[in-house]
Amino acid sequence: MTVRVSPVLSVLISIWMETLFYGINVVLIVLTVAALLSGPYPPNRQNQVILALSVILFLCASAHMGVNLCRLVQGYIFPESKEGMIAYLLDLTQHTNVAKQYLLVTVNLFSDMLLTWRVYLVWDKSILITLMPVLLCTSVFIAGIGTAILESLVVPGETIFLGRISSWALAQFSLSLVMNFTATVLIASRIWYITGRGAVQNRAHLKLYWRIIIIIIESASFTAFVQIVQLGFYAAKFPGTYFVSDCAVQIVTMAPLMIIVLIGATRKDQSNVVFSTYDTRSMVDTPTLSGIRFAEKDLEMMAATKTVSTSRSTNDGMPL
């Protein structure tokens, strides 16, 4: 039995859902900028990159929201008849629909770049480790561009489930899911390895790091859930994919911003730990540092610094 969904209903629900998540992203981008600029001005290079990528990501998501609102106006107000309205909404070659697809690809690109940059920092700027997310990020972008180009070349009346489109679209959705999973595993495993090997003895620090692991995994899981639903709906050629596709843009934007905001809030909750939004070296008495690196040499440097500081305090008769 084939499930049929009215194009009028699909557009309304899709835009309504995207508007809901976009409102959350407006709040998150304000909190993200505040978290990244809360230290000394100007921010260090790593935070500048994160800030730039976050702002560009939000602007692309805003553009996608704007194009959908434009589609809503042009689809419901300008056509003189219901047939004209349906014809407009089903026409994949319309400029607004083509623009929307390219913006979807752009949002995925900058979201994946944020994940890749985070992996790069966490793994102490290791090119070898970062190579896998870079290749996945590039593959998702190529598959997305291929899908957008093919959609712009269809004959009016054809759907997104067309054979030559679906092969590229399925590759895009699948690779995006693999990218999200791979980056999350790399980040969380690195934090777990450093804390699990006994390099961090302070219980407050350990609690802080496990909170970071949970934040990263939960944010990635939320995105992965939407990606799995979108992939499953599309593979089954279920019309519900129209409802998921637009809000997925805002959710992909939301996940990296949420990580920044929640880690910033975690930092403020730990009054005994001076913690920059993305750096474990803040355990050393350093006011603002770059990113969550969790490098072994940084932990060793921290231990050495702590030993010297303790020795000086004891010799001077000062409290620790």
Side-chain angles (χ1 to χ4, degrees), residues 161-218:
F161 301 113
L162 198 64
R164 62 177 181 271
I165 297 177
S166 63
S167 58
W168 284 85
L170 287 172
Q172 177 190 359
F173 297 150
S174 302
L175 288 170
S176 184
L177 179 61
V178 172
M179 169 67 192
N180 180 36
F181 176 79
T182 302
T184 302
V185 169
L186 286 174
I187 295 170
S189 62
R190 178 63 170 172
I191 302 173
W192 176 82
Y193 170 73
I194 294 299
T195 57
R197 64 191 290 268
V200 181
Q201 301 295 337
N202 189 294
R203 293 178 61 88
H205 294 159
L206 286 172
K207 182 179 179 181
L208 178 62
Y209 298 152
W210 280 109
R211 286 184 65 180
I212 293 172
I213 292 176
I214 293 172
I215 288 171
I216 292 173
I217 292 177
E218 287 181 345

Side-chain angles (χ1 to χ4, degrees), residues 23 43 74 141 157 160 197 203 212-213 238 241 250 264 280 307 319:
Q74 293 181 359
F141 178 71
I160 59 174
R197 64 191 290 268
R203 293 178 61 88
I212 293 172
I213 292 176
F238 179 60
T241 189
Q250 302 302 326
T280 52
T307 301

Side-chain angles (χ1 to χ4, degrees), residues 104 107-108 226 230 243-253:
L104 168 63
V107 167
N108 277 329
V226 176
Q230 185 179 23
F243 304 151
V244 181
S245 58
D246 288 330
C247 66
V249 173
Q250 302 302 326
I251 292 174
V252 167
T253 303

Side-chain angles (χ1 to χ4, degrees), residues 36 40 42-50 276 279 288-291:
L36 293 173
N44 52 56
R45 178 176 172 272
Q46 285 82 356
N47 277 357
Q48 287 177 358
V49 172
I50 294 169
S276 174
D279 200 337
T288 303
L289 290 165
S290 60

Side-chain angles (χ1 to χ4, degrees), residues 26-235:
V26 171
V27 177
L28 285 177
I29 190 62
V30 173
L31 296 176
T32 297
V33 173
L36 293 173
L37 296 180
S38 60
Y41 187 84
N44 52 56
R45 178 176 172 272
Q46 285 82 356
N47 277 357
Q48 287 177 358
V49 172
I50 294 169
L51 178 61
L53 290 175
S54 300
V55 171
I56 294 173
L57 177 62
F58 174 75
L59 291 177
C60 292
S62 300
H64 190 277
M65 183 73 244
V67 169
N68 255 346
L69 291 177
C70 180
R71 245 173 93 75
L72 186 64
V73 172
Q74 293 181 359
Y76 286 88
I77 297 178
F78 293 163
E80 298 179 355
S81 64
K82 184 177 180 180
E83 290 74 16
M85 176 179 64
I86 295 177
Y88 175 84
L89 295 176
L90 291 178
D91 187 1
L92 298 180
T93 62
Q94 287 290 335
H95 296 309
T96 51
N97 187 75
V98 174
K100 188 176 73 168
Q101 298 308 316
Y102 280 105
L103 285 170
L104 168 63
V105 176
T106 307
V107 167
N108 277 329
L109 174 64
F110 283 103
S111 179
D112 289 345
M113 287 175 64
L114 265 173
L115 283 174
T116 303
W117 180 254
R118 190 175 292 120
V119 170
Y120 177 68
L121 293 178
V122 167
W123 282 88
D124 195 25
K125 302 182 179 181
S126 170
I127 301 298
L128 183 61
I129 297 296
T130 314
L131 185 60
M132 183 181 297
V134 168
L135 292 176
L136 286 171
C137 178
T138 306
S139 301
V140 172
F141 178 71
I142 293 174
I145 289 294
T147 304
I149 292 175
L150 289 174
E151 284 192 19
S152 65
L153 298 177
V154 300
V155 177
E158 293 179 330
T159 70
I160 59 174
F161 301 113
L162 198 64
R164 62 177 181 271
I165 297 177
S166 63
S167 58
W168 284 85
L170 287 172
Q172 177 190 359
F173 297 150
S174 302
L175 288 170
S176 184
L177 179 61
V178 172
M179 169 67 192
N180 180 36
F181 176 79
T182 302
T184 302
V185 169
L186 286 174
I187 295 170
S189 62
R190 178 63 170 172
I191 302 173
W192 176 82
Y193 170 73
I194 294 299
T195 57
R197 64 191 290 268
V200 181
Q201 301 295 337
N202 189 294
R203 293 178 61 88
H205 294 159
L206 286 172
K207 182 179 179 181
L208 178 62
Y209 298 152
W210 280 109
R211 286 184 65 180
I212 293 172
I213 292 176
I214 293 172
I215 288 171
I216 292 173
I217 292 177
E218 287 181 345
S219 299
S221 299
F222 182 42
T223 305
F225 172 76
V226 176
Q227 290 174 329
I228 291 172
V229 171
Q230 185 179 23
L231 177 60
F233 281 0
Y234 188 84

